[in-house]
Amino acid sequence: MARAYAHRGLRLILTARRTDALQLAAEELAPTTEVVAMAGDVGDPAHAERLVRAGLDRFGRIDVLVNNASELGPSPMPELEKLNTQVFAEVLRVNVVGPLKLIQLVLPPMRARRDGLIINVTSDAGVQAYPTWGGYGASKAALEHLSRVLAAELEGSGVRVYVVDPGDMDTAMHRAAEPGIDLSYLPAPASVAPAFVRLLDTDAVAGRFEAQQLVAAAV
Ligand SMILES: NC(=O)c1ccc[n+]([C@@H]2O[C@H](COP(=O)([O-])OP(=O)(O)OC[C@H]3O[C@@H](n4cnc5c(N)ncnc54)[C@H](OP(=O)(O)O)[C@@H]3O)[C@@H](O)[C@H]2O)c1
């Protein structure tokens, strides 16, 4: 997604907890666009403030916020009866509370400019009731409802709120969710990145989108 946005000409603030992959991404994209890479936890309010301050100081404005980072919880995933509630609170901290904090930080300047796009990345597990996916799934359901209420509150503000389900992908998180299963047949994240670019130019003020359908429709 960062690569696709960079090639579209967007300047980027990127974050992840570990510095290695983050630094590699920043180095790869530096010849294409301006990149600020800041390691930290999106569930940490102080890190959220650092990210948004860096965006406003360096670029003068933030056009798009993508809440993509996500916490799965334990692997293998337990049924709800056995889900440690402190672990569940951690899943909610990263997947719901952190995104809301970032939204609260970017909204005032977006409202002032009457322009902005907030994309919250969700999952079909936030809609369908898959056994053992309850902790993560409940966090995505909360993120989706938060997005719906936010969109209602922002009606007429010029700020768009989208929820995007990227669909099944072969990633570290998905492999942790289904340990021992060969997921190499699934698409790579890069294959759905064009959907996130397409949404930059979508007129809808709010909505839930399936990234793989957006990509297929464009072909
Ligand atoms: N993979 C799928 O099949 C699938 C399906 C539906 C929805 N999704 C959604 O798609 C999004 C991306 O998932 P993915 O499968 O690409 O996950 P992933 O492979 O685990 O990648 C997640 C990225 O977020 C970063 N991250 C995780 N927790 C973080 C935190 N607390 N603070 C900052 N950065 C953090 C990770 O880097 P660090 O570990 O270095 O922090 C990594 O760069 C998620 O919202 C997920 O729920 C995925």
Side-chain angles (χ1 to χ4, degrees):
M1 195 194 307
R3 198 180 278 136
Y5 277 162
H7 288 284
R8 164 66 190 258
L10 271 69
R11 297 173 292 176
L12 303 170
I13 308 275
L14 301 178
T15 194
R17 290 161 303 178
R18 291 162 301 167
T19 52
D20 47 359
L22 185 62
Q23 210 46 49
L24 272 179
E27 283 167 18
E28 177 194 317
L29 299 179
T32 310
T33 192
E34 275 182 73
V35 184
V36 177
M38 299 179 76
D41 177 352
V42 292
D44 171 5
H47 184 56
E49 281 173 16
R50 276 194 297 273
L51 290 170
V52 173
R53 198 174 317 120
L56 294 174
D57 288 351
R58 177 84 174 258
F59 304 139
R61 63 177 210 267
I62 295 173
D63 298 309
V64 186
L65 167 68
V66 183
N67 283 311
N68 176 63
S70 202
E71 176 64 48
L72 179 72
S75 169
M77 295 186 295
E79 293 185 349
L80 284 172
E81 190 177 354
K82 300 266 173 60
L83 178 62
N84 179 304
T85 49
Q86 277 181 330
V87 170
F88 181 46
E90 174 67 8
V91 171
L92 293 173
R93 183 183 71 87
V94 174
N95 298 0
V96 187
V97 182
L100 177 60
K101 178 71 184 175
L102 282 159
I103 289 166
Q104 290 173 341
L105 291 167
V106 299
L107 261 183
M110 284 184 175
R111 271 188 183 280
R113 288 190 302 113
R114 299 195 56 77
D115 191 26
L117 173 58
I118 293 165
I119 300 180
N120 293 324
V121 180
T122 188
S123 163
D124 61 335
V127 180
Q128 305 294 334
Y130 302 127
T132 75
W133 289 76
Y136 168 84
S139 77
K140 292 300 187 181
L143 184 66
E144 292 206 22
H145 194 58
L146 179 153
S147 306
R148 281 191 292 271
V149 174
L150 184 67
E153 291 170 349
L154 289 174
E155 208 180 313
S157 69
V159 181
R160 294 175 288 153
V161 182
Y162 296 164
V163 167
V164 181
D165 176 4
D168 283 342
M169 306 177 290
D170 181 17
T171 66
M173 176 187 283
H174 200 162
R175 286 191 291 272
E178 304 201 42
I181 310 276
D182 179 12
L183 300 176
S184 60
Y185 68 95
L186 290 175
S191 68
V192 291
F196 289 84
V197 177
R198 186 145 180 234
L199 289 171
L200 298 176
D201 303 317
T202 298
D203 288 334
V205 291
R208 187 185 195 281
F209 300 90
E210 305 221 346
Q212 291 177 357
Q213 282 183 6
L214 285 179
V215 173
V219 173

